[in-house]
Amino acid sequence: MIKVAMTSVFVDDVARAHAFYTEVLGFETRLHMDLGDGTPFVTVGAPGGAQPDLQLLLEPGQGPIAEPYRTALYEAGIPCIVFSVDDLPAEYERMRGLGVRFPHPPREQGPVLAAVFDDSVGNLVQLTQPRV
């Protein structure tokens, strides 16, 4: 069986992204180290032992490949990653209360309820909740 161990999201500023992804989204820090040249290597993941094998790398988004890619996704309104939640309306209200910008409230998209937010470090991120 092959499982996803790590995926990444390119960010404007790793330190700011770390703060947002932990303090606002509620992820926990899995790894935080300096690669020796001042480049941070930071991963986060779901709290409380949920998905212990899966990490999200907050990757520096500058450079000739990452920068145009991120810009194109953002300008097209395409989320760079999708997260699932148990109660999207409650999460939407909680995050809005913390100042997170959502282009629109949650809405039905096929089999899911979905909302897109700006992660404040150069990306749009989608939250989904399966409809029942």
Side-chain angles (χ1 to χ4, degrees):
M1 171 191 334
I2 296 175
K3 299 187 305 184
V4 176
M6 184 183 298
T7 190
S8 65
V9 59
F10 292 114
V11 298
D12 290 340
D13 179 294
V14 174
R16 277 193 4 228
H18 182 238
F20 181 86
Y21 279 71
T22 56
E23 296 169 14
V24 175
L25 298 185
F27 286 109
E28 65 184 18
T29 303
R30 297 280 176 83
L31 189 60
H32 193 290
M33 59 188 242
D34 186 331
L35 296 179
D37 61 355
T39 303
F41 187 89
V42 178
T43 67
V44 297
Q51 298 181 303
D53 297 344
L54 182 58
Q55 297 181 73
L56 177 63
L57 172 62
L58 303 175
E59 192 159 5
Q62 298 70 27
I65 296 172
E67 191 85 30
Y69 172 74
R70 285 184 325 124
T71 300
L73 284 178
Y74 194 92
E75 289 176 356
I78 299 171
C80 70
I81 196 163
V82 178
F83 299 131
S84 64
V85 296
D86 294 330
D87 185 345
L88 183 53
E91 195 62 32
Y92 169 77
E93 291 301 329
R94 182 190 74 79
M95 290 172 63
R96 276 183 22 129
L98 293 172
V100 176
R101 187 182 72 76
F102 285 81
H104 57 78
R107 58 183 172 198
E108 293 182 5
Q109 290 183 332
V112 299
L113 187 60
V116 173
F117 66 89
D118 185 318
D119 74 355
S120 77
V121 286
N123 302 291
L124 296 175
V125 175
Q126 185 171 25
L127 295 178
T128 63
Q129 174 189 343
R131 292 187 323 158
V132 283

